[in-house]
């Protein structure tokens, strides 16, 4: 199995584990334990609506799992640089690289998230 595929598979499995564990715990406490405090009578989301959101989230997970796998591939190819100390590049460059990195990550995550809202077959 190619390393990038193995990295994607590892990320995909962990995304599912984290999503279902944290989502399950959140739903248990918010809906079952404290639902009467958070929702007025009749305003708690229906089970059908929750399952719809789980389905759509599950459809997006393969795509979201690609982002770290591709990043890992780029690192392994030597297309990136990592600095363990700020003194290696100086404070100005370090802050500049940080701002550039965060801008790129936010740009791609925003457009990927927005694109996933257009997956019409995921919604009824």
């Amino acid at each position: 199995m190619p390393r990038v595929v193995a990295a994607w598979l590892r990320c995909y499995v962990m995304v599912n584990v984290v999503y279902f564990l944290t989502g399950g715990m959140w739903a248990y406490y918010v809906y079952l334990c404290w639902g009467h405090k958070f929702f007025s009578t009749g305003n708690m989301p229906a089970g059908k609506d929750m399952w719809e959101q789980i389905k759509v989230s599950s459809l997006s997970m393969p795509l979201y799992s690609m982002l770290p796998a591709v990043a890992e591939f780029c690192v392994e190819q030597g297309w990136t640089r990592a600095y363990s100390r700020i003194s290696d590049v100086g404070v100005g460059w370090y802050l500049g690289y940080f701002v550039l990195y965060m801008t790129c990550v936010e740009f791609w995550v925003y457009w990927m998230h927005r694109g996933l809202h257009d997956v019409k077959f995921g919604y009824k």
Side-chain angles (χ1 to χ4, degrees), residues 32 80 95:
L32 297 177
T80 63
L95 291 174

Side-chain angles (χ1 to χ4, degrees), residues 61-76:
M61 286 182 206
L63 185 60
Y64 271 107
S65 300
M66 265 194 269
L67 208 57
V70 169
E72 185 176 311
F73 176 77
C74 292
V75 169
E76 290 171 348

Side-chain angles (χ1 to χ4, degrees), residues 7-20 61 65:
W8 171 82
L9 185 59
R10 180 186 66 237
C11 291
Y12 180 67
V13 167
M14 289 311 298
V15 161
N16 279 282
V17 167
V18 169
Y19 175 79
F20 286 106
M61 286 182 206
S65 300

Side-chain angles (χ1 to χ4, degrees), residues 105-123:
V105 167
E106 289 302 315
F107 175 83
W108 288 111
V109 168
Y110 169 79
W111 284 105
M112 185 183 299
H113 183 111
R114 184 174 172 161
L116 289 169
H117 282 283
D118 291 332
V119 180
K120 300 299 181 203
F121 64 85
Y123 298 95

Side-chain angles (χ1 to χ4, degrees), residues 24-39:
M25 288 187 300
W26 185 87
Y28 173 77
Y29 284 106
V30 170
Y31 295 130
L32 297 177
C33 294
W34 302 314
H36 63 282
K37 293 180 183 180
F38 295 129
F39 301 99

